[in-house]
Amino acid sequence: RLTGQQQEINSLMQRKSAVDEENARLKNEFGNLNRKFKDKSQELKDTEECAQKKEEQNRLVIKNLEEENKGLNICCADLLSDVEKLRKQEAQWKKEKSGNDTRIKNLETDLAETREQIKSLHSICSNLSSQLDVKQKELFQKDCDV
């Protein structure tokens, strides 16, 4: 009976030894997994921090771009206003130019007519001058005769 108990004790000791080995292996595996978990947790934390920093940077970039866009929109509105003013000014100048062109054309026509009148008056003057010469000669001749 003692031998049976001894065998049972040996068997239990072997089982205990096997369980202890399994337990040690599992503890080791648990330690490794725990380290991996901590590493991955730290990696996740670092990644989240990096993502937050990137998100904040992106927010700042977006804010700056929005501000720049506002400035550009104001600049565009000012330029469009200037363009509209210049178009109105151009239309006014075209109207004035058209009036000036008409006035110039009328003045050129008047000038041409005046030149024709001057030619005609020169011709008349020349004829009158010739007639005056003839009359003066006749008058001189009559004076001589008298």
Side-chain angles (χ1 to χ4, degrees):
R1 182 172 170 200
L2 195 59
T3 319
Q5 285 180 343
Q6 189 63 40
Q7 281 182 341
E8 195 175 326
I9 288 173
N10 285 343
S11 174
L12 287 173
M13 289 299 282
Q14 285 178 349
R15 273 183 61 207
K16 181 188 179 295
S17 178
V19 166
D20 285 346
E21 284 178 21
E22 179 67 12
N23 208 7
R25 189 187 65 76
L26 289 173
K27 276 184 183 180
N28 191 25
E29 189 176 330
F30 176 76
N32 288 337
L33 289 173
N34 207 18
R35 260 191 314 280
K36 285 182 183 177
F37 174 75
K38 285 179 182 175
D39 290 347
K40 291 293 179 184
S41 293
Q42 186 61 45
E43 190 178 320
L44 177 64
K45 185 179 172 186
D46 294 346
T47 302
E48 286 174 346
E49 285 176 7
C50 184
Q52 282 179 339
K53 286 178 185 175
K54 286 283 185 191
E55 197 173 310
E56 187 58 33
Q57 286 175 345
N58 288 341
R59 273 193 219 107
L60 285 173
V61 167
I62 289 169
K63 183 180 176 185
N64 290 337
L65 288 173
E66 285 172 348
E67 289 297 318
E68 187 178 343
N69 195 29
K70 280 182 191 176
L72 289 173
N73 284 337
I74 290 169
C75 186
C76 284
D78 291 346
L79 288 172
L80 287 174
S81 175
D82 290 349
V83 166
E84 190 57 34
K85 286 177 190 173
L86 289 172
R87 283 188 179 145
K88 286 179 183 177
Q89 194 174 30
E90 179 189 24
Q92 180 65 30
W93 287 347
K94 281 183 179 178
K95 190 187 291 184
E96 289 175 11
K97 184 185 180 302
S98 175
N100 288 339
D101 287 349
T102 302
R103 204 165 144 232
I104 288 169
K105 191 174 182 179
N106 291 338
L107 288 172
E108 285 174 345
T109 302
D110 291 350
L111 180 64
E113 290 173 1
T114 303
R115 282 184 177 151
E116 285 300 316
Q117 287 175 355
I118 289 172
K119 274 186 186 177
S120 175
L121 289 173
H122 272 293
S123 179
I124 291 170
C125 193
S126 182
N127 286 339
L128 288 174
S129 184
S130 294
Q131 287 176 15
L132 180 63
D133 282 347
V134 169
K135 293 292 180 185
Q136 280 178 341
K137 285 179 185 176
E138 285 175 5
L139 184 62
F140 182 73
Q141 188 61 43
K142 282 185 184 180
D143 276 344
C144 283
D145 288 346
V146 170

